[in-house]
Amino acid sequence: AGVAAPAVTQFERSISDGGSEMACFELIQLPDQPEGRFNLVHHQTPDLLWQDRFLHHQNNALSLEAVELTVTEPLATAARLSRLLGCPAVPDPREGISLELARGRLRLTEGDGPRVTRLTISTSDVSRPAMEIGGSEAGGVALQFTKSG
């Protein structure tokens, strides 16, 4: 993908206290990039990770739909990440450049960075209106909740 990387590392860990089921991963820790540290993870045992007991959260979050990353050079970042992730970088209708991933979207905007500025989260909570929590209330990151479906 045009980015130097060390060898793949194998990891495993128990998925329960004292249990014998081991979740297995392959990990590539990329050299630090201007935007920060990126790790590529391949879940070798998705059936152990995606169990119903792990998929319910108090905030009713279902999935992370989008991450907005503010960077000083969005075009250069988009080109590098596009090669790395294997997906095209396209103009985003809201602002900046987007990379459409298999699950979700990475939006790059220009500004002082690098820093994550927004997370969009899909929720199953039908009683919760679509809402946004401002960055001052969430460690500097805007949290945008949207209804699933």
Side-chain angles (χ1 to χ4, degrees), residues 31-47:
D32 287 352
Q33 302 295 307
E35 302 78 27
R37 180 173 294 156
F38 291 96
N39 294 316
L40 305 178
V41 179
H42 176 239
H43 296 171
Q44 296 177 300
T45 52
D47 54 313

Side-chain angles (χ1 to χ4, degrees), residues 74-75 78 90-98 106-110:
L75 290 174
V90 297
D92 189 276
R94 285 184 48 193
E95 174 187 10
I97 301 166
S98 282
L106 174 62
R107 178 179 295 118
L108 303 168
T109 59
E110 186 172 0

Side-chain angles (χ1 to χ4, degrees), residues 3 33-36 38 69-85 87 89 97 99 106-111 113-114:
V3 178
Q33 302 295 307
E35 302 78 27
F38 291 96
L69 180 63
T70 298
V71 296
T72 55
E73 298 181 25
L75 290 174
T77 299
R80 188 172 47 262
L81 293 179
S82 176
R83 284 191 313 274
L84 178 66
L85 299 171
C87 60
I97 301 166
L99 289 97
L106 174 62
R107 178 179 295 118
L108 303 168
T109 59
E110 186 172 0

